[in-house]
Amino acid sequence: MAGQKNSSNVNSSSSSTSQSYFAHFWSSALRAKKLSTPSEAAGVTNSSQGLVRRLGVFDLILLGVGASIGAGIFVVTGTVARVSGPGVTISFLLAGTSCVLNALCFAELASCFPAIVGGAYLYAYTAFNELTAFLVFAQLMLDYHIGAASIARSLASYIVTVLELFPIFKDNIPSWIGHGGQEFLGGALSINILAPILLILLTLVLCWGVGESSAVNSLMTITKVVIVIFVIFAGAFKVDVSNWSPFAPNGLKPIFTGATVVFFAYVGFDAVANSAEESKRPQRDLPIGIMGSLFICIALYIAVCLVITGMVLLLDLPQPFVGLYVQSRLYLGLGRDGLLPSIFAKVHSKRQTPVYSQVWVGTAATVLAGLFNVHMLSHILSVGSLTGYSVVSACVVTLRWKDKRANLVSLSNWCEGVLCLIAVASCGFGAGLLFRFDVSFIFLIVAVILAMVASTALYFRQVYADAPGFSCPGVPIVPAVCIFFNMFLFGQLHYEAWVRFVILSIIAVCVYAFYGQFHADPSSEATLVHHRAPGEEAL
């Protein structure tokens, strides 16, 4: 009897511990960060951990342009043009329109939030909850890590190609230095020396200081834009306008399919939102930087389309710089919040840069670029961008509810609104699948109609406030359109990208369950004020 009693006590204690653990998990996962006004965030000082505001509006525009233009601008355009013909111009217009809508959502949140790092992660933490924010971070980070490593290999190959123009180097540079890589173990390893060296140099520049890194980024971006403009003008004299007829030789479907491909050529303007803490006048300059960089990219892409469809041209102008910059700022934000070890939150006392975060980001990208053929992983990229953009659009809607109700919106209304947002996303993904597998057009129309019904419910069943800063027009319809189209594109991705999304989400939940939930502090960043650059005027 005593043994049975002891066994019963042990089982009861184990059950109680298990229930306590899961209760703590859910209470932690569902907590959100308080949205502080800029004046509230500047009310308390922590002089050792803030970043210096050195970036003006021109720097921010160049940051966004540099993050977007370069990853095969002519190659991507040429690839799509082979199928859609001159109609690739419409593909870029459709994708650009979608990105403008997404950028409007980013611009509103960038102007409303205090000048602290985080971007999509920070917005999700405030609008939804801690676990959602951590999942957004995880998906974005894999995109950035693989993307930076892949672009570094492209840059290494580009440098070797230039060197081989000189007779002394032609056919004398081994593949393991820069061209692709020397494969071992049946291709499991692909050794490349130049790509890691380039990443190490860029990491050192980023660690040196935001002023110096901004100058390097500006120089690289201006150089790329000048080259693109030169090619456009030079190519314009060799264009045969007869090549523009017929405009859509294979019909409309390749044009819409092409829009899903070229959409990723615009991805990068979100990098501006992640530089909020280093912006001189974030509430004014961030929306200008986001929208300005995107419109510049659209203009250049349309010009490229007109040239590429009139002549054959391939050119790649890679730049891994901005990807490394954005990653370190996101790691800094999570380190401050406790979701990652506090070492990521440390800022160099003299350089005012997140050195430890930057070194980690550079190391991870260096290992990937030096040992693996990361180009093979390109088909699982963009998952983070599409999910992150969708969450940002949803944040615009939900934060308008909270503002209007002074954080007293009823739980039932909040849940109803979130369910409508999920319905829009599901319809978008379903429409993407239907379009991808050539299912009857009727079912595609049904998916669109269901999304419209959910959007109508969002419009009439909720009350919305005006945004305190830059305001995204047409809330909640514009954000709903963004979510639908982003998820439509998600449905066009390779199935391995969906597997990557599920596996990485499971890993992220496990990391949060065993570390994040016990160390996170949603109120941490309220104690930060951000330093002005020497000689800068007070805002």
Side-chain angles (χ1 to χ4, degrees):
M1 293 292 293
Q4 292 178 354
K5 184 175 181 180
N6 290 337
S7 177
S8 176
N9 289 337
V10 170
N11 291 335
S12 177
S13 175
S14 176
S15 176
S16 176
T17 301
S18 177
Q19 291 177 359
S20 175
Y21 174 84
F22 284 108
H24 184 276
F25 174 87
W26 285 115
S27 64
S28 300
L30 297 178
R31 63 191 173 193
K33 182 184 287 290
K34 180 181 180 294
L35 176 58
S36 302
T37 64
S39 59
E40 291 174 341
V44 186
T45 301
N46 183 333
S47 60
S48 63
Q49 298 302 314
L51 302 180
V52 177
R53 295 196 193 124
R54 292 184 182 272
L55 302 180
V57 64
F58 185 68
D59 300 308
L60 295 172
I61 290 175
L62 289 179
L63 186 70
V65 172
S68 301
I69 290 182
I73 170 177
F74 293 97
V75 175
V76 171
T77 306
T79 300
V80 176
R82 290 188 183 100
V83 180
S84 60
V88 67
T89 306
I90 305 300
S91 298
F92 269 98
L93 282 174
L94 291 173
T97 301
S98 173
C99 285
V100 166
L101 298 180
N102 279 288
L104 288 171
C105 296
F106 267 96
E108 174 172 319
L109 297 181
S111 68
C112 294
F113 275 71
I116 50 180
V117 296
Y121 153 78
L122 174 63
Y123 308 151
Y125 205 162
T126 305
F128 294 104
N129 53 61
E130 195 167 279
L131 182 58
T132 299
F134 192 71
L135 290 172
V136 168
F137 162 80
Q139 296 293 342
L140 285 172
M141 278 307 96
L142 186 59
D143 272 11
Y144 285 134
H145 279 304
I146 297 177
S150 179
I151 295 174
R153 283 215 167 192
S154 296
L155 181 57
S157 180
Y158 182 71
I159 291 175
V160 170
T161 300
V162 172
L163 290 175
E164 288 181 337
L165 295 176
F166 300 93
I168 190 174
F169 293 112
K170 188 172 180 60
D171 299 326
N172 291 323
I173 301 178
S175 60
W176 54 268
I177 289 183
H179 263 321
Q182 183 69 44
E183 294 187 351
F184 296 93
L185 302 177
L189 293 179
S190 177
I191 305 300
N192 185 299
I193 300 299
L194 184 55
I197 292 175
L198 294 172
L199 286 169
I200 290 172
L201 292 176
L202 291 175
T203 299
L204 291 175
V205 172
L206 288 165
C207 289
W208 187 257
V210 66
E212 293 77 7
S213 59
S214 175
V216 173
N217 175 70
S218 298
L219 177 62
M220 296 173 69
T221 301
I222 291 174
T223 301
K224 289 194 305 180
V225 171
V226 169
I227 292 174
V228 170
I229 292 176
F230 174 79
V231 172
I232 290 172
F233 277 98
F237 293 99
K238 298 182 179 181
V239 167
D240 183 356
V241 294
S242 64
N243 291 331
W244 293 339
S245 180
F247 194 76
N250 296 313
L252 292 178
K253 184 172 181 179
I255 292 178
F256 286 100
T257 303
T260 67
V261 176
V262 303
F263 175 88
F264 306 116
Y266 289 106
V267 170
F269 59 84
D270 54 312
V272 179
N274 285 286
S275 62
E277 192 162 322
E278 290 152 298
S279 172
K280 292 179 181 178
R281 297 174 178 83
Q283 273 64 47
R284 186 202 70 172
D285 291 351
L286 289 179
I288 296 175
I290 291 171
M291 302 304 299
S293 62
L294 181 57
F295 282 122
I296 289 174
C297 292
I298 291 175
L300 290 176
Y301 285 146
I302 296 303
V304 166
C305 288
L306 296 176
V307 170
I308 202 73
T309 53
M311 58 180 290
V312 177
L313 178 64
L314 296 179
L315 179 65
D316 194 8
L317 301 168
Q319 181 175 327
F321 191 92
V322 177
L324 296 175
Y325 169 86
V326 171
Q327 291 177 76
S328 66
R329 273 54 183 176
L330 286 175
Y331 275 103
L332 173 64
L334 270 82
R336 287 175 176 172
D337 289 331
L339 287 166
L340 291 178
S342 60
I343 191 173
F344 290 110
K346 294 185 180 297
V347 175
H348 195 278
S349 59
K350 293 183 179 180
R351 299 297 176 189
Q352 304 296 166
T353 57
V355 175
Y356 295 99
S357 295
Q358 197 67 71
V359 169
W360 163 253
V361 166
T363 301
T366 296
V367 172
L368 286 172
L371 298 180
F372 302 101
N373 183 7
V374 286
H375 290 306
M376 296 177 60
L377 302 177
S378 61
H379 57 278
I380 69 170
L381 291 178
S382 301
V383 173
S385 297
L386 289 174
T387 53
Y389 285 11
S390 298
V391 170
V392 166
S393 299
C395 289
V396 170
V397 177
T398 58
L399 288 173
R400 291 284 191 98
W401 302 336
K402 291 186 176 183
D403 285 342
K404 186 67 176 180
R405 300 288 188 170
N407 291 330
L408 297 178
V409 61
S410 68
L411 180 61
S412 60
N413 281 354
W414 193 90
C415 291
E416 178 185 328
V418 171
L419 288 175
C420 288
L421 291 171
I422 294 174
V424 172
S426 301
C427 290
F429 180 69
L433 289 179
L434 294 171
F435 184 79
R436 174 178 180 173
F437 295 109
D438 293 319
V439 179
S440 174
F441 194 70
I442 299 297
F443 294 102
L444 185 62
I445 295 297
V446 170
V448 173
I449 292 175
L450 291 176
M452 293 175 62
V453 170
S455 300
T456 302
L458 279 174
Y459 184 83
F460 288 105
R461 297 280 297 173
Q462 303 289 340
V463 182
Y464 298 89
D466 294 329
F470 178 90
S471 179
C472 173
V475 174
I477 302 303
V478 167
V481 171
C482 291
I483 294 171
F484 182 89
F485 191 71
N486 292 339
M487 288 297 99
F488 180 88
L489 295 180
F490 194 98
Q492 304 297 307
L493 296 178
H494 195 280
Y495 76 92
E496 290 182 6
W498 308 336
V499 175
R500 160 247 158 118
F501 176 81
V502 173
I503 292 177
L504 184 58
S505 296
I506 293 173
I507 293 174
V509 170
C510 292
V511 172
Y512 178 80
F514 289 102
Y515 182 88
Q517 66 164 318
F518 300 110
H519 297 85
D521 180 11
S523 63
S524 60
E525 286 183 339
T527 63
L528 288 172
V529 66
H530 313 293
H531 309 294
R532 293 188 294 274
E536 180 190 338
E537 297 178 357
L539 300 182

